[in-house]
Amino acid sequence: MRLGALETGGTKMVCAIGDENGRIHDRKVIPTGTPRETVPQMTAYFGEHGVEALGIGCFGPVELDRTSPRYGYITSTPKKAWRDFDMAGAFADALHCPVGLDTDVNAAALGEAVFGQAAGKGVVVYLTVGTGVGAGIYTEGKLLHGMLHPEAGHVLIRRKESDGYAGNCPYHRDCLEGLASGPAIEERWGEKAALLADRAEVWELEADYIAQALMGYILTLSPEMIILGGGVMRQEQLFPMIRRNVARLLNGYIQTKELADMDRYIVPASLAGDQGIMGALELARQAFAASRADKK
Ligand code: ADP
Ligand code: ZN
């Protein structure tokens, strides 16, 4: 099956052609401009390759309620040119094929759950810590949506007394994203995050904040695996620190085989940066299957 996959980003759009087995045959990166500049380049690419369905992992928030007239719209994004843009509709109109759309982090969670290290697991959390903080949640075999989609990057955590930084979330100030995103690290310490690698206090604080959020996800969602991605997680020393902090916070309250093997419970992404695009291939496959079922 010839499937199209799109991973949207603030700086670039990654377009790929692949199949239902998660194999990627071709890809093209297009710089993100306005929809008017960027969308025709993307639809031309997918059109040339004759895709039978398209999956989109989209920055958000996005409307995912299929009964809403605004299904597939980007809603209140800070990327102004894309606000209120009918993302799913623009591609469906141009390509005349089924289009599946979900959040970028949900797509990454799906890629890991279907094609990656989390294959076979029922409940998986994928947290990205980058320019923003967001979580994709795969639960009992499908992505979690509910009334909207999870926005678990904005959960409240306890700010350390020693932390003089107020937080930068425009909505909540010192939520997880406000305290632990790449830009928050850079504002707090006055230096590019990548250049702070050997400052132990930077990563101790970061690991504490991430672990607090993971504690909440563990207790509410009961995930069988937690995958951490995004630019900030390139600081690999964070992983053992986060695992230690999670164990300390849980304090033996729950005991499972997963928690007993922390090195395989809280892990880096496994698909070499392709988890989002592979998840988008699966979204395309699902959209194709759903359109077939509708026709019967
Ligand atoms: P985005 O979230 O925009 O899709 P990334 O996941 O790459 O992109 O996140 C970018 C953020 O990650 C930047 O704020 C940057 O500070 C941070 N970052 C990128 N590389 C590193 C690194 N090697 N170490 C720590 N932080 C990094
Ligand atoms: Zn927030």
Side-chain angles (χ1 to χ4, degrees):
M1 196 185 271
R2 188 176 284 261
L3 300 173
L6 166 62
E7 194 180 22
T8 74
T11 53
K12 63 184 199 287
M13 300 287 187
V14 180
C15 305
I17 307 299
D19 63 32
E20 68 277 21
N21 299 311
R23 275 191 294 262
I24 296 164
H25 305 309
D26 189 66
R27 77 175 79 205
K28 181 171 188 175
V29 175
I30 295 168
T32 304
T34 63
R36 193 192 292 237
E37 292 159 354
T38 315
V39 172
Q41 296 178 55
M42 297 191 283
T43 54
Y45 173 76
F46 292 120
E48 279 160 25
H49 285 86
V51 297
E52 293 166 83
L54 175 70
I56 306 176
C58 194
F59 51 70
V62 285
E63 177 58 78
L64 296 178
D65 176 359
R66 287 197 174 268
T67 65
S68 163
R70 284 168 56 85
Y71 169 78
Y73 275 63
I74 298 173
T75 59
S76 52
T77 175
K79 300 169 187 59
K80 284 210 179 75
W82 293 85
R83 201 172 283 173
D84 298 315
F85 182 68
D86 179 8
M87 194 73 174
F91 285 91
D93 290 348
L95 299 172
H96 307 288
C97 73
V99 175
L101 178 130
D102 215 306
T103 62
D104 44 8
V105 276
N106 257 352
L110 187 64
E112 290 281 357
V114 174
F115 302 117
Q117 61 194 333
K121 307 235 180 269
V123 182
V124 179
V125 171
Y126 182 100
L127 183 76
T128 180
V129 187
T131 307
V133 181
I137 298 169
Y138 181 82
T139 171
E140 309 297 3
K142 58 187 181 56
L143 292 169
L144 182 64
H145 293 137
M147 63 171 186
L148 177 71
H149 47 72
E151 279 290 349
H154 291 264
V155 293
L156 296 182
I157 55 174
R158 284 187 199 149
R159 188 148 65 93
K160 287 268 150 185
E161 272 175 27
S162 59
D163 183 7
Y165 181 62
N168 70 355
C169 174
Y171 292 90
H172 322 109
R173 197 170 47 94
D174 57 358
C175 65
L176 176 66
E177 178 170 296
L179 291 174
S181 67
I185 295 172
E186 296 178 352
E187 217 179 350
R188 176 188 293 109
W189 303 99
E191 181 67 276
K192 285 267 162 219
L195 301 177
L196 292 163
D198 47 15
R199 294 269 300 275
E201 67 275 28
V202 173
W203 309 108
E204 274 162 24
L205 187 66
E206 183 72 7
D208 181 292
Y209 288 157
I210 293 170
Q212 288 191 52
L214 297 193
M215 159 100 165
Y217 310 152
I218 290 168
L219 296 174
T220 33
L221 298 163
S222 192
E224 295 159 80
M225 181 179 267
I226 297 177
I227 301 166
L228 303 178
V232 171
M233 296 312 302
R234 285 191 208 133
Q235 298 294 322
E236 289 173 14
Q237 71 272 31
L238 279 169
F239 282 89
M241 295 162 87
I242 291 168
R243 293 178 189 124
R244 266 199 306 277
N245 274 298
V246 166
R248 175 179 59 78
L249 289 168
L250 286 170
N251 198 24
Y253 177 58
I254 46 174
Q255 285 165 22
T256 64
K257 64 179 191 309
E258 289 83 0
L259 292 173
D261 190 5
M262 276 284 182
D263 290 357
R264 277 192 277 187
Y265 183 58
I266 298 174
V267 293
S270 68
L271 297 171
D274 282 341
Q275 53 277 1
I277 207 83
M278 289 168 80
L281 284 175
E282 172 63 11
L283 290 173
R285 188 199 65 75
Q286 290 177 3
F288 185 83
S291 77
R292 280 296 154 102
D294 284 348
K295 282 186 189 129
K296 280 199 183 128

